[in-house]
Amino acid sequence: MLFHVRMDVQLPHDMPADRAATLKADEKARFQALQRSGQWRHIWRIVGQYSNVSVFDVDSPTQLHDLLMSLPLFPYMRIDVMPLCRHPSSLHDDDR
């Protein structure tokens, strides 16, 4: 199942810089592992914001929920999820 996910990160202004740096490094490592697994298919930065738009390819909404909760920055995110389905006019065979 494909999901469009927007994540807006809002770190507390009083968070120590070293704590923020550690969280960001841990988030990057987790993201790259999920990208290598094929579950996090695409990510795009939203210009001028600490936000991204991503496409996830997972087996179920529950799997997506668990994956999102496993992100180190999850406690500091506002997340919007939209399930996707293949458009009949798509030329791409890997759309599901």
Side-chain angles (χ1 to χ4, degrees), residues 52-89:
N52 73 74
V53 174
S54 296
V55 175
F56 288 84
D57 188 355
V58 294
D59 295 329
S60 69
T62 300
Q63 185 182 22
L64 177 64
H65 178 78
D66 293 343
L67 183 154
L68 292 172
M69 288 189 65
S70 77
L71 298 175
L73 288 175
F74 177 79
Y76 308 102
M77 290 182 181
R78 179 177 171 270
I79 299 174
D80 293 313
V81 177
M82 287 186 284
L84 302 172
C85 62
R86 187 177 192 283
H87 193 284
S89 298

Side-chain angles (χ1 to χ4, degrees), residues 10-72:
Q10 299 172 330
L11 296 178
H13 296 291
D14 59 350
M15 179 180 281
D18 59 333
R19 174 70 177 137
T22 298
L23 278 172
K24 291 175 188 179
D26 292 347
E27 183 80 10
K28 182 178 180 177
R30 179 74 177 126
F31 157 71
Q32 289 177 340
L34 291 167
Q35 191 175 26
R36 281 190 286 279
S37 78
Q39 293 174 299
W40 199 325
R41 284 181 58 175
H42 303 281
I43 185 169
W44 294 273
R45 179 178 284 161
I46 299 174
V47 176
Q49 299 178 34
Y50 192 1
S51 303
N52 73 74
V53 174
S54 296
V55 175
F56 288 84
D57 188 355
V58 294
D59 295 329
S60 69
T62 300
Q63 185 182 22
L64 177 64
H65 178 78
D66 293 343
L67 183 154
L68 292 172
M69 288 189 65
S70 77
L71 298 175

